[in-house]
């Protein structure tokens, strides 16, 4: 099979010079006449020649490429990528996104496998999105976004998850809700998920409401898991009048589960999420949620990594960005009789 890739030999042949001369032009070395330099650069532009990243790394020990490594590309990571792409402009670096799409032999330790494939020959450093192991153990220049392990001394960016969860529950309490369910993450999962549950508990405690473990469910990572967990809460003998989901996709699944059970949002059930991904504006009713500035998180992570690659210590090694409440239409005061005949009849019919 023949390759359509333009090579340095193609450039040399078209420009009528040697491969060595093209190499000098590419590397801005002395010894090339101005007219020859202009002719070679014109041919490079005409043919669309790009040097191989591997060849570039072998020659210069740098690729000028930053990687963003994600377990899977979904709404959360997609928003981070937008910020990373904005931050790369004008830095002299290029950006490559690498993901196995949530596949590849297990979830824990995925970043080690990704870095072993890319570091040294394809990328100079990486932004790791929700890494499962300590970034300090990985060796390569990296910045972690929302790491599972929390702060470990390695450069990282996250959001104020504890305060964001407090804001969510305080909003539901202000509407009059007292029986508030929580859809979180499985035990020993993301540190941010743990902080959100702690914020949920803290807001209840400050309101004088005892924590009820029956109102907490692990939602997992799939929407089907979230829908099942929400259905379990909504079928309790004393069901919650509101549910706080630890991410927007789980909140949207909760709304769908409520609809399946014949419940109306927000008339019969209030739902609030976390993240403020674009999907939260697309559902009806619009999802009230806690915004963590995902694009800014991606931007700040790239900015920190560029500083590190330049040999400079970042001004902050742990950047924590604020969260805020975004009001839409999925929350309202609780129904006067949440277990009244009309609701009970709809639930039992399903």
């Amino acid at each position: 099979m023949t390759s359509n890739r333009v090579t340095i030999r193609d450039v040399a042949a078209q420009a009528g010079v040697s491969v060595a001369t093209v190499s000098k032009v590419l590397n801005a070395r002395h010894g090339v006449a101005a007219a020859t330099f202009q002719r070679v650069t014109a041919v490079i532009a005409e043919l669309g020649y790009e040097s191989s990243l591997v060849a570039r790394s072998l020659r210069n020990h740098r690729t000028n490429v930053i990687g963003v490594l994600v377990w899977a590309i979904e709404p959360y990571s997609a928003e981070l990528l937008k910020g990373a792409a904005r931050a790369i402009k004008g830095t002299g670096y290029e950006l490559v996104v690498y993901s196995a799409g949530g596949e590849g032999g297990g979830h824990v330790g995925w970043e080690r496998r990704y870095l072993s494939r890319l570091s040294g020959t394809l990328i100079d450093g990486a932004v790791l999105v929700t890494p499962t192991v300590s970034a300090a153990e990985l060796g390569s220049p990296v910045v972690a976004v929302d790491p599972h392990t929390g702060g470990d001394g390695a450069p990282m960016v996250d959001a104020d998850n504890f305060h964001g969860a407090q804001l969510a529950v305080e909003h539901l309490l202000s509407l009059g809700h007292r029986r508030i369910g929580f859809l979180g993450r499985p035990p020993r999962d993301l540190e941010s998920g743990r902080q959100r549950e702690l914020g949920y508990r803290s807001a209840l405690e400050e309101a004088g409401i005892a924590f009820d473990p029956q109102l907490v469910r692990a939602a997992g990572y799939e929407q089907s898991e979230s829908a099942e967990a929400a259905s379990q809460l909504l079928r309790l003998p004393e069901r919650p009048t509101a549910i706080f989901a630890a991410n927007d996709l789980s909140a949207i699944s909760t709304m769908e589960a409520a609809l399946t059970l014949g419940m109306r949002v927000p008339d019969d059930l209030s739902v609030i999420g976390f993240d403020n991904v674009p999907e939260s504006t697309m559902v009806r009713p619009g999802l009230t949620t806690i915004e963590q500035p995902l694009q800014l998180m991606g931007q700040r992570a790239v900015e920190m990594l560029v500083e590190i690659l330049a040999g400079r210590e970042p001004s902050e090694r742990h950047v924590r960005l604020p969260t805020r409440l975004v009001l839409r239409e999925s929350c309202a005061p609780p129904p006067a009789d949440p277990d009244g005949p009309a609701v009970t009849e709809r639930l039992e019919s399903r």
Side-chain angles (χ1 to χ4, degrees):
M1 295 180 62
T2 59
S3 171
N4 292 325
R5 180 182 176 84
V6 177
T7 69
I8 193 171
R9 294 183 182 279
D10 297 326
V11 174
Q14 177 114 349
V17 298
S18 68
V19 169
T21 298
V22 176
S23 179
K24 287 181 180 180
V25 171
L26 290 170
N27 292 284
R29 293 176 185 160
H30 298 294
V32 181
T36 303
F37 184 91
Q38 291 175 359
R39 185 166 74 254
V40 171
T41 53
V43 170
I44 288 171
E46 178 185 345
L47 297 181
Y49 171 77
E50 287 286 348
S51 62
S52 161
L53 289 179
V54 174
R56 192 192 308 174
S57 70
L58 291 173
R59 184 170 61 246
N60 301 326
H61 305 290
R62 295 291 292 268
T63 64
N64 287 342
V65 176
I66 284 174
V68 179
L69 279 51
V70 298
W71 169 245
I73 298 177
E74 31 67 48
Y76 173 91
S77 58
E79 288 301 296
L80 288 168
L81 292 175
K82 293 176 185 177
R86 183 166 60 241
I88 209 72
K89 293 179 180 177
T91 64
Y93 285 93
E94 299 171 5
L95 195 68
V96 62
V97 180
Y98 189 84
S99 171
E103 302 293 338
H107 183 59
V108 176
W110 60 266
E111 54 284 293
R112 284 197 181 101
R113 296 190 295 274
Y114 289 12
L115 281 171
S116 68
R117 295 168 188 165
L118 303 178
S119 290
T121 56
L122 292 178
I123 61 174
D124 294 333
V127 171
L128 307 177
V129 179
T130 64
T132 59
V133 300
S134 170
E137 300 174 3
L138 298 174
S140 302
V142 296
V143 173
V145 176
D146 193 15
H148 281 233
T149 54
D152 57 11
M156 64 172 284
V157 179
D158 65 4
D160 194 342
N161 295 285
F162 180 87
H163 181 61
Q166 284 184 315
L167 290 175
V169 178
E170 287 169 357
H171 175 62
L172 295 172
L173 291 168
S174 73
L175 293 173
H177 294 278
R178 292 298 177 267
R179 196 158 176 80
I180 301 170
F182 177 66
L183 288 185
R185 289 300 199 187
R188 298 178 301 280
D189 205 342
L190 277 169
E191 172 64 13
S192 58
R194 191 177 76 87
Q195 289 298 318
R196 290 172 200 179
E197 181 170 345
L198 290 175
Y200 161 79
R201 292 189 182 211
S202 174
L204 292 178
E205 182 180 353
E206 289 183 9
I209 298 173
F211 172 72
D212 184 351
Q214 287 295 313
L215 293 178
V216 176
R217 291 290 188 279
Y221 290 93
E222 301 295 333
Q223 286 187 271
S224 59
E225 294 177 307
S226 300
E228 175 58 29
S231 295
Q232 291 174 12
L233 289 177
L234 296 177
R235 290 183 182 277
L236 288 173
E238 283 189 80
R239 69 171 183 84
T241 60
I243 292 179
F244 166 42
N247 63 80
D248 285 346
L249 295 188
S250 290
I252 292 169
S253 293
T254 297
M255 295 169 68
E256 293 170 349
L259 180 63
T260 300
L261 292 171
M263 301 177 69
R264 297 162 299 184
V265 176
D267 297 358
D268 300 320
L269 176 73
S270 289
V271 180
I272 187 168
F274 202 112
D275 286 338
N276 198 30
V277 296
E279 284 77 0
S280 64
T281 67
M282 300 175 186
V283 293
R284 292 294 177 269
L287 178 65
T288 293
T289 188
I290 300 300
E291 179 184 86
Q292 55 174 333
L294 296 174
Q295 292 191 27
L296 182 57
M297 289 165 68
Q299 177 180 332
R300 292 297 299 274
V302 167
E303 290 170 350
M304 289 175 70
L305 184 57
V306 168
E307 287 288 301
I308 292 168
L309 293 173
R312 298 187 292 268
E313 180 69 17
S315 57
E316 296 178 82
R317 291 185 68 83
H318 182 178
V319 174
R320 173 160 289 168
L321 298 173
T323 47
R324 70 182 185 94
L325 175 67
V326 178
L327 295 173
R328 296 194 181 100
E329 299 82 37
S330 64
C331 295
D337 187 1
D339 298 309
V343 175
T344 301
E345 182 178 344
R346 290 199 298 272
L347 289 170
E348 289 178 349
S349 68
R350 288 163 170 77

